[in-house]
Short mmCIF file of all heavy atoms in Angstrom, two decimals:
data_model
loop_
_atom_site.label_atom_id
_atom_site.label_comp_id
_atom_site.label_asym_id
_atom_site.label_seq_id
_atom_site.Cartn_x
_atom_site.Cartn_y
_atom_site.Cartn_z
N LEU A 73 -6.25 -16.58 -0.97
CA LEU A 73 -5.66 -17.48 -1.90
C LEU A 73 -6.21 -18.92 -1.78
O LEU A 73 -6.45 -19.65 -2.75
CB LEU A 73 -4.09 -17.44 -1.80
CG LEU A 73 -3.41 -16.39 -2.49
CD1 LEU A 73 -1.90 -16.49 -2.15
CD2 LEU A 73 -3.59 -16.34 -4.02
N VAL A 74 -6.36 -19.38 -0.59
CA VAL A 74 -6.79 -20.67 -0.32
C VAL A 74 -8.20 -20.88 -0.87
O VAL A 74 -8.51 -21.88 -1.54
CB VAL A 74 -6.76 -21.07 1.16
CG1 VAL A 74 -7.53 -22.35 1.47
CG2 VAL A 74 -5.30 -21.25 1.65
N LEU A 75 -9.03 -19.88 -0.67
CA LEU A 75 -10.51 -19.92 -1.05
C LEU A 75 -10.51 -19.90 -2.57
O LEU A 75 -11.25 -20.68 -3.23
CB LEU A 75 -11.19 -18.77 -0.55
CG LEU A 75 -12.70 -18.60 -0.91
CD1 LEU A 75 -13.49 -19.82 -0.39
CD2 LEU A 75 -13.28 -17.34 -0.41
N LEU A 76 -9.67 -19.08 -3.14
CA LEU A 76 -9.63 -18.98 -4.63
C LEU A 76 -9.16 -20.32 -5.26
O LEU A 76 -9.74 -20.83 -6.20
CB LEU A 76 -8.60 -17.85 -5.07
CG LEU A 76 -8.67 -17.49 -6.56
CD1 LEU A 76 -9.91 -16.95 -7.00
CD2 LEU A 76 -7.55 -16.46 -6.72
N ILE A 77 -8.18 -20.95 -4.71
CA ILE A 77 -7.69 -22.22 -5.24
C ILE A 77 -8.71 -23.30 -5.03
O ILE A 77 -8.91 -24.11 -5.92
CB ILE A 77 -6.30 -22.50 -4.59
CG1 ILE A 77 -5.27 -21.54 -5.15
CG2 ILE A 77 -5.83 -23.94 -4.94
CD1 ILE A 77 -3.91 -21.62 -4.38
N LYS A 78 -9.24 -23.29 -3.83
CA LYS A 78 -10.24 -24.39 -3.51
C LYS A 78 -11.43 -24.35 -4.38
O LYS A 78 -11.95 -25.36 -4.94
CB LYS A 78 -10.65 -24.27 -2.04
CG LYS A 78 -11.50 -25.39 -1.56
CD LYS A 78 -11.76 -25.32 -0.07
CE LYS A 78 -12.59 -26.50 0.42
NZ LYS A 78 -12.88 -26.46 1.74
N THR A 79 -12.00 -23.14 -4.61
CA THR A 79 -13.13 -23.07 -5.53
C THR A 79 -12.73 -23.30 -7.05
O THR A 79 -13.52 -23.91 -7.78
CB THR A 79 -13.75 -21.65 -5.44
OG1 THR A 79 -12.77 -20.70 -5.72
CG2 THR A 79 -14.30 -21.41 -4.06
N SER A 80 -11.50 -23.06 -7.39
CA SER A 80 -11.07 -23.32 -8.77
C SER A 80 -10.94 -24.82 -8.91
O SER A 80 -11.22 -25.40 -10.03
CB SER A 80 -9.77 -22.67 -9.04
OG SER A 80 -9.92 -21.22 -9.10
N LEU A 81 -10.49 -25.53 -7.95
CA LEU A 81 -10.17 -27.02 -8.00
C LEU A 81 -11.55 -27.79 -7.99
O LEU A 81 -11.63 -28.89 -8.52
CB LEU A 81 -9.35 -27.44 -6.88
CG LEU A 81 -7.90 -27.03 -6.88
CD1 LEU A 81 -7.13 -27.58 -5.72
CD2 LEU A 81 -7.22 -27.59 -8.21
N GLN A 82 -12.64 -27.18 -7.46
CA GLN A 82 -13.85 -27.86 -7.41
C GLN A 82 -14.42 -28.07 -8.83
O GLN A 82 -15.01 -29.04 -9.16
CB GLN A 82 -14.89 -27.17 -6.55
CG GLN A 82 -14.54 -27.36 -5.06
CD GLN A 82 -15.43 -26.53 -4.11
OE1 GLN A 82 -16.16 -25.67 -4.62
NE2 GLN A 82 -15.42 -26.81 -2.85
N GLY A 83 -14.26 -27.08 -9.74
CA GLY A 83 -14.56 -27.13 -11.05
C GLY A 83 -16.03 -27.38 -11.45
O GLY A 83 -16.25 -27.66 -12.60
N SER A 84 -16.88 -27.19 -10.54
CA SER A 84 -18.34 -27.33 -10.91
C SER A 84 -18.81 -26.20 -11.72
O SER A 84 -18.42 -25.14 -11.56
CB SER A 84 -19.13 -27.50 -9.65
OG SER A 84 -20.53 -27.44 -9.92
N ASN A 87 -20.62 -23.77 -9.61
CA ASN A 87 -19.93 -23.02 -8.60
C ASN A 87 -19.21 -21.88 -9.25
O ASN A 87 -18.19 -21.99 -9.84
CB ASN A 87 -18.86 -23.99 -7.92
CG ASN A 87 -18.22 -23.25 -6.74
OD1 ASN A 87 -18.51 -22.13 -6.45
ND2 ASN A 87 -17.25 -23.91 -6.20
N LEU A 89 -18.34 -19.03 -7.58
CA LEU A 89 -17.61 -18.21 -6.59
C LEU A 89 -16.22 -17.98 -7.08
O LEU A 89 -15.70 -16.83 -6.97
CB LEU A 89 -17.68 -18.87 -5.24
CG LEU A 89 -16.95 -18.14 -4.16
CD1 LEU A 89 -17.59 -16.74 -3.95
CD2 LEU A 89 -16.95 -18.95 -2.88
N GLY A 90 -15.50 -19.06 -7.57
CA GLY A 90 -14.16 -18.88 -7.95
C GLY A 90 -14.09 -17.90 -9.15
O GLY A 90 -13.11 -17.08 -9.18
N VAL A 91 -14.98 -18.00 -10.05
CA VAL A 91 -14.89 -17.01 -11.21
C VAL A 91 -15.12 -15.58 -10.73
O VAL A 91 -14.49 -14.62 -11.06
CB VAL A 91 -16.03 -17.40 -12.21
CG1 VAL A 91 -16.19 -16.41 -13.31
CG2 VAL A 91 -15.80 -18.79 -12.81
N LEU A 93 -14.56 -14.36 -7.73
CA LEU A 93 -13.35 -13.91 -6.96
C LEU A 93 -12.24 -13.52 -7.95
O LEU A 93 -11.54 -12.51 -7.74
CB LEU A 93 -12.86 -15.07 -6.07
CG LEU A 93 -13.71 -15.28 -4.81
CD1 LEU A 93 -13.22 -16.55 -4.07
CD2 LEU A 93 -13.84 -14.12 -3.93
N ARG A 94 -11.93 -14.24 -9.01
CA ARG A 94 -10.94 -13.89 -9.90
C ARG A 94 -11.32 -12.55 -10.67
O ARG A 94 -10.43 -11.78 -10.85
CB ARG A 94 -10.74 -15.02 -10.93
CG ARG A 94 -9.91 -16.19 -10.36
CD ARG A 94 -9.43 -17.17 -11.42
NE ARG A 94 -10.54 -17.73 -12.20
CZ ARG A 94 -11.17 -18.91 -11.84
NH1 ARG A 94 -10.86 -19.44 -10.72
NH2 ARG A 94 -12.19 -19.27 -12.60
#
Side-chain angles (χ1 to χ4, degrees):
L73 277 178
V74 167
L75 180 63
L76 188 63
I77 292 170
K78 187 174 182 179
T79 56
S80 295
L81 290 177
Q82 288 175 347
S84 171
N87 186 3
L89 180 61
V91 174
L93 288 174
R94 284 192 299 273

